[in-house]
Amino acid sequence: MDAREQAVKAIEQVVAEVERTQRAKDAEGFLALFHPDALWTTAHGKVLIGFDAIAEFTRAVLPAANWDGEVTYEVVHTQFLRPDVAAVKVRQLYRGADGTVEGEGAPLYVMTREGGGGGPEGGWLLTACQNTEVRRGE
């Protein structure tokens, strides 16, 4: 496996961890995925600049989130802007208890590889993220 393939797999693992922590309502696990200087825009347009703002919002909202079904995250495209910076397009589906899709999101995660001077041993972190709600029938 070449370095690019390794990076794509590592990025997919971060997105899988986003899914796991969202499902588990694990605020601290979710926050561990962020760069200290990250920014996040929620699907409803709330802009969170810096880790402290993201943490305050996440700790208040995620544990109290209420849904009967499940949410899944799928990487649909990874575009490397530099070897240590990737734009990652994700498909987010909310399914009801019966399995039907009740909502969809189209997040874009700009991720950076930290540590190791940008080498393959560095970990990928969420750095600039925009979640977008997909509206049906419009």
Side-chain angles (χ1 to χ4, degrees):
M1 185 180 309
D2 69 15
R4 185 186 186 288
E5 291 171 323
Q6 288 176 345
V8 168
K9 291 291 182 200
I11 287 166
E12 289 171 349
Q13 286 299 312
V14 172
V15 173
E17 191 64 6
V18 169
E19 177 181 304
R20 185 200 70 75
T21 58
Q22 291 287 311
R23 285 181 169 195
K25 301 180 185 180
D26 175 5
E28 298 311 312
F30 179 68
L31 292 170
L33 303 173
F34 282 87
H35 187 281
D37 296 323
L39 60 99
W40 181 274
T41 303
T42 71
H44 298 103
K46 184 167 184 71
V47 177
L48 306 166
I49 298 174
F51 182 83
D52 290 343
I54 295 167
E56 180 180 357
F57 177 83
T58 299
R59 289 177 180 136
V61 173
L62 185 57
N66 188 17
W67 62 83
D68 293 330
E70 67 179 16
V71 60
T72 59
Y73 292 73
E74 174 191 5
V75 174
V76 294
H77 183 74
T78 301
Q79 178 74 40
F80 288 94
L81 307 176
R82 296 188 333 209
D84 61 342
V85 179
V88 182
K89 195 65 189 158
V90 175
R91 184 171 189 217
Q92 177 187 49
L93 295 177
Y94 292 92
R95 297 184 192 280
D98 64 356
T100 60
V101 175
E102 295 182 352
E104 183 174 348
L108 174 64
Y109 301 155
V110 176
M111 299 175 69
T112 55
R113 186 180 356 225
E114 302 300 318
E121 67 280 349
W124 288 91
L125 295 174
L126 301 169
T127 304
C129 305
Q130 168 78 46
N131 197 356
T132 303
E133 179 181 5
V134 174
R135 295 186 182 204
R136 296 178 177 198
E138 290 185 18

